[in-house]
Amino acid sequence: MKYMIMMFGGFGATLADRTPEWITGMQEFMVGLDHELRESGEVVGGGGLVDPAKAKTVRFRNGAPVVTDGPFAEVKESLAGYWVIEASEERVLEIASRVVAFIEYPIEVRQVMHESADV
């Protein structure tokens, strides 16, 4: 099965109370885990996202799509990065738990609805 692991936060208020050493350690942890998951073949895709202040949101208003600046959610809740992992649910939750134990912010794990070679 394929699952998406979604990490929230990452900029602004999320890092405001963290030390430079913690931020460096978190970056090293995430790069190391990413390398581990890619080496094991579990990562199907993934990446980090730029600061949510640079996001655009498209909404349907008055019968037409309207583009606005910024994310829909509060910045502290914005999607910061993701992995698409091919593994058992137990393994994916173990990976997510390792990240949460370090960053102390929530991660959402969702099964990919329709598997295909493109995901």
Side-chain angles (χ1 to χ4, degrees), residues 11-110:
F11 291 98
T14 303
L15 299 178
D17 63 345
R18 301 295 187 162
T19 66
E21 295 80 17
W22 184 92
I23 293 169
T24 299
M26 181 269 300
Q27 291 169 336
E28 291 170 354
F29 170 78
M30 295 299 284
V31 167
L33 182 56
D34 184 71
H35 179 75
E36 174 188 324
L37 296 173
R38 288 180 189 280
E39 286 290 313
S40 71
E42 294 171 294
V43 169
V44 177
L49 303 172
V50 300
D51 189 321
K54 296 179 177 162
K56 304 286 185 204
T57 299
V58 180
R59 293 182 177 87
F60 195 73
R61 304 272 173 161
N62 300 318
V66 176
V67 179
T68 59
D69 289 335
F72 178 72
E74 291 183 44
V75 171
K76 67 182 179 180
E77 299 171 347
S78 292
L79 185 63
Y82 66 95
W83 282 303
V84 177
I85 303 289
E86 187 160 4
S88 68
E89 180 179 45
E90 180 181 356
R91 172 67 176 143
V92 172
L93 293 174
E94 183 259 318
I95 294 165
S97 295
R98 286 176 61 190
V99 177
V100 169
F102 192 97
I103 65 173
E104 300 174 348
Y105 284 95
I107 286 184
E108 185 174 333
V109 175
R110 295 174 70 183

